[in-house]
């Protein structure tokens, strides 16, 4: 409605330019990608209640400020994709008659259209433009940042948005670390980087993840509700680590460095943990240690107070198989004073996801603290429900302070404290001529 220009004493040098009332300003220009002047490539349209300029040392306008008094100011940055911004104030920086940046302050909202609809809100936002194409190249957001698209919902104190490479970096402060919810998976860390189009996310520093899947109706459900037997109950599974990389397309999460995964009291420690799908397979590597409380065969009210513990080089748990495989320097303590060691072992679970039996192979050693009994063999089967141990070897051997008992198959009845040779050693005798 009104525009005022102020000039210097020579009546030539522009000192100020300001206006108010139903303001609309369109900024455009020729670019290598655009045809004639006025094409939409990189065009910016701003509406506000008033504006005022900043004049540089050479008398040229170096910036323009826009204010929304009766309603928020509004800016449209044409792409593709188009970006729609709303804020109380905008400051548009200029250099060589080109827009270099657009700063928005106070209750900022930026919307993006196709190919991916995105919504970002923050206290402050700066969009930087490519001088060659005039298109938005990157942006920084500060103060209560919220990012949202059809698959991701993120919160942080600050964010850097690499628009050209479709890369978002979230940072925060102690007590206010960034968080991303992606397809039901929740990730928190000191630093989070994710690419919406690629469907990847990476967290670094004090990582904590909540692993969940979606039910048939689309509602969130804990991944553990139908997960591997290592995390059987319908409770959320949490993971701590130094770093994590998540991939939406392959549904794989890789946690590295001081990994701790737990569900209530069941816990896995490792240097690396890989989770596929909705817990379809869990693979742990490097100083793997487990604490399992779902091994009791007693009534549900009698929850095991001392866990079954294991250590190994590698752990693989598969939901479909209802088993956990341990490989490399395996050590197992059943929580009842019984210790097993071997090169390989497998935990097998029943339909109720309680421990059914344990198979151990290669260099098997069993030691009972209470009876001072020691058993060795090539293979061992520990039927947890029946409280029976079977040793197989050539020979298998059970020794006690009072003697030793060899055999091809030896049974140990833990309930009755009884040892039997099920299959004696067999051999052939060839008389000398």
């Amino acid at each position: 409605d009104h525009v005022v220009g102020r000039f210097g004493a020579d009546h030539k040098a522009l000192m100020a330019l300001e206006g108010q009332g139903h303001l609309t300003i369109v900024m455009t220009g020729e670019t290598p990608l655009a045809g004639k002047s006025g094409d939409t490539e990189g065009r910016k349209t701003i509406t506000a209640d008033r504006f005022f300029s900043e004049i540089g040392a050479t008398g040229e306008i170096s910036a323009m400020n826009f204010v929304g008094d009766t309603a928020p100011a509004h800016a449209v940055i044409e792409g593709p994709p188009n970006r729609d911004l709303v804020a109380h104030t905008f400051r548009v920086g200029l250099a060589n008659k080109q827009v270099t940046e657009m700063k928005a302050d106070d209750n900022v909202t930026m919307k993006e259209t196709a190919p991916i609809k995105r919504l970002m809100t923050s206290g402050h936002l700066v969009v930087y433009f490519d001088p060659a194409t005039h298109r938005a190249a990157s942006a920084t957001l500060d103060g209560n940042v919220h990012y949202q698209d059809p698959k991701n919902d993120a919160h942080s104190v600050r964010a850097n948005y690499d628009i050209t490479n479709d890369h978002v970096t979230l940072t925060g402060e102690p007590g206010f670390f960034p968080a991303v919810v992606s397809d039901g998976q929740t990730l928190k860390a000191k630093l989070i980087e994710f690419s919406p189009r690629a469907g990847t996310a990476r967290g670094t520093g004090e990582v904590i993840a909540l692993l969940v899947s979606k039910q048939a109706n689309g509602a969130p459900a804990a991944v553990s509700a139908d997960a591997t037997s290592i995390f059987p109950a319908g409770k959320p599974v949490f993971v701590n680590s130094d770093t994590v990389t998540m991939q939406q397309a392959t549904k794989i999460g890789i946690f590295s460095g001081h990994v701790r995964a737990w569900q209530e009291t069941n816990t896995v420690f490792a240097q690396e943990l890989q989770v596929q799908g909705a817990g379809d397979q869990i693979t742990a590597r490097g100083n793997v240690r487990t604490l399992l409380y779902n091994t009791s065969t007693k009534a549900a009210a009698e929850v095991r107070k001392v866990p079954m513990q294991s250590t190994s080089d590698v752990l693989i748990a598969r939901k479909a198989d209802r088993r956990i495989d341990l490989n490399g320097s395996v050590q197992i303590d059943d929580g009842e004073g019984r210790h097993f060691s071997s090169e390989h072992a497998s935990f097998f679970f029943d339909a109720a996801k309680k421990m059914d039996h344990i198979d151990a192979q290669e260099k098997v050693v069993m030691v009972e603290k209470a009876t001072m009994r020691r058993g060795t063999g090539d293979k061992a089967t520990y039927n947890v429900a029946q409280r029976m141990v079977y040793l197989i070897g050539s020979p298998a051997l059970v020794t006690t302070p009072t003697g030793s008992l060899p055999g091809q198959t030896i049974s140990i009845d833990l309930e009755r404290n009884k040892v039997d040779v099920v299959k004696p050693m067999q051999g052939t005798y060839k008389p000398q001529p």
Side-chain angles (χ1 to χ4, degrees):
D1 291 340
H2 307 282
V3 176
V4 176
R6 304 182 190 281
F7 296 87
D10 59 0
H11 301 285
K12 296 179 180 180
L14 185 64
M15 303 301 294
L17 185 66
E18 59 188 52
Q20 60 182 0
H22 303 96
L23 168 68
T24 299
I25 289 186
V26 179
M27 301 178 182
T28 186
E30 296 180 0
T31 73
L33 298 180
K36 59 186 178 181
S37 176
D39 281 352
T40 61
E41 179 69 30
R43 185 166 65 185
K44 297 97 181 156
T45 303
I46 301 174
T47 58
D49 291 321
R50 57 189 172 91
F51 83 94
F52 59 93
S53 62
E54 297 176 20
I55 307 300
T58 60
E60 292 186 344
I61 297 176
S62 60
M64 297 185 70
N65 296 272
F66 304 89
V67 182
D69 291 321
T70 60
H74 182 209
V76 175
I77 304 172
E78 300 195 23
N82 288 352
R83 293 180 174 85
D84 193 295
L85 286 80
V86 175
H88 178 62
T89 63
F90 289 99
R91 181 187 183 277
V92 178
L94 302 169
N96 298 321
K97 303 179 182 179
Q98 302 291 337
V99 175
T100 58
E101 65 182 40
M102 180 182 293
K103 182 181 180 183
D105 289 305
D106 197 0
N107 296 322
V108 182
T109 298
M110 180 169 72
K111 296 180 182 179
E112 293 184 8
T113 56
I116 300 177
K117 291 184 178 180
R118 300 175 182 174
L119 173 66
M120 302 182 194
T121 61
S122 63
H124 311 280
L125 166 72
V126 182
V127 180
Y128 300 94
F129 295 90
D130 186 309
T133 64
H134 302 176
R135 295 172 60 177
S138 63
T140 60
L141 299 92
D142 184 62
N144 195 24
V145 177
H146 182 200
Y147 170 96
Q148 192 174 34
D149 67 33
K151 290 186 176 181
N152 302 286
D153 192 287
H155 292 267
S156 67
V157 177
R158 292 173 295 275
N160 291 326
Y161 179 19
D162 184 343
I163 297 173
T164 303
N165 297 304
D166 192 54
H167 188 84
V168 180
T169 302
L170 306 175
T171 57
E173 299 169 355
F176 300 94
F177 288 152
V180 176
V181 179
S182 178
D183 273 352
Q185 315 289 348
T186 301
L187 170 63
K188 293 183 179 181
K190 285 184 176 181
L191 173 71
I192 297 179
E193 305 168 77
F194 68 98
S195 178
R197 281 203 296 267
T200 60
R202 176 179 172 81
T204 304
E206 298 186 25
V207 172
I208 182 169
L210 170 61
L211 306 181
V212 299
S213 60
K214 291 184 178 179
Q215 299 174 342
N217 60 6
V223 65
S224 52
D226 60 347
T228 50
S229 297
I230 200 166
F231 298 123
K235 303 290 184 180
V237 175
F238 297 90
V239 185
N240 283 146
S241 63
D242 294 335
T243 63
V244 63
T245 300
M246 291 183 169
Q247 301 173 349
Q248 290 177 338
T250 57
K251 296 189 180 302
I252 292 178
I254 300 175
F255 300 85
S256 301
H258 303 94
V259 179
R260 175 184 176 232
W262 74 97
Q263 178 197 64
E264 292 192 318
T265 50
N266 277 4
T267 308
V268 176
F269 299 90
Q271 286 302 307
E272 179 180 294
L273 180 71
Q274 178 174 301
V275 180
Q276 291 181 287
D280 298 313
Q281 179 169 314
I282 295 175
T283 304
R285 294 183 175 88
N287 300 319
V288 181
R289 183 162 64 97
T290 66
L291 305 175
L292 302 180
Y293 288 82
N294 61 311
T295 61
S296 177
T297 58
K298 300 179 182 180
E302 299 182 48
V303 179
R304 173 189 277 270
K305 295 182 180 179
V306 179
M308 180 176 286
Q309 301 185 51
S310 74
T311 61
S312 61
D313 295 333
V314 179
L315 175 150
I316 301 175
R318 298 179 180 87
K319 177 173 66 177
D321 297 342
R322 294 210 307 261
R323 65 184 286 176
I324 299 173
D325 292 322
L326 307 176
N327 295 299
S329 304
V330 178
Q331 304 282 334
I332 301 171
D333 284 299
D334 71 351
E336 299 179 0
R338 208 164 288 109
H339 178 83
F340 295 83
S341 64
S342 63
E343 287 301 308
H344 311 282
S346 298
F347 295 160
F348 294 86
F349 297 81
D350 59 21
K353 298 187 178 176
K354 299 294 184 181
M355 183 78 74
D356 183 75
H357 67 279
I358 300 172
D359 281 347
Q361 304 90 31
E362 195 175 337
K363 300 179 182 178
V364 177
V365 177
M366 183 200 77
V367 177
E368 285 187 288
K369 184 177 180 180
T371 62
M372 300 181 65
R373 183 185 291 135
R374 186 176 191 272
T376 61
D378 300 320
K379 180 180 178 181
T381 298
Y382 178 11
N383 288 325
V384 179
Q386 300 173 8
R387 295 183 58 76
M388 292 289 296
V389 177
Y390 296 91
L391 288 172
I392 300 172
S394 301
L397 181 66
V398 174
T399 60
T400 67
T402 59
S404 62
L405 184 65
Q408 190 167 342
T409 302
I410 300 175
S411 68
I412 304 173
D413 189 331
L414 303 176
E415 195 71 34
R416 298 176 179 82
N417 193 26
K418 183 180 178 182
V419 180
D420 287 322
V421 176
V422 178
K423 189 174 183 180
M425 290 299 300
Q426 296 181 354
T428 58
Y429 172 72
K430 184 178 181 180
Q432 295 295 322

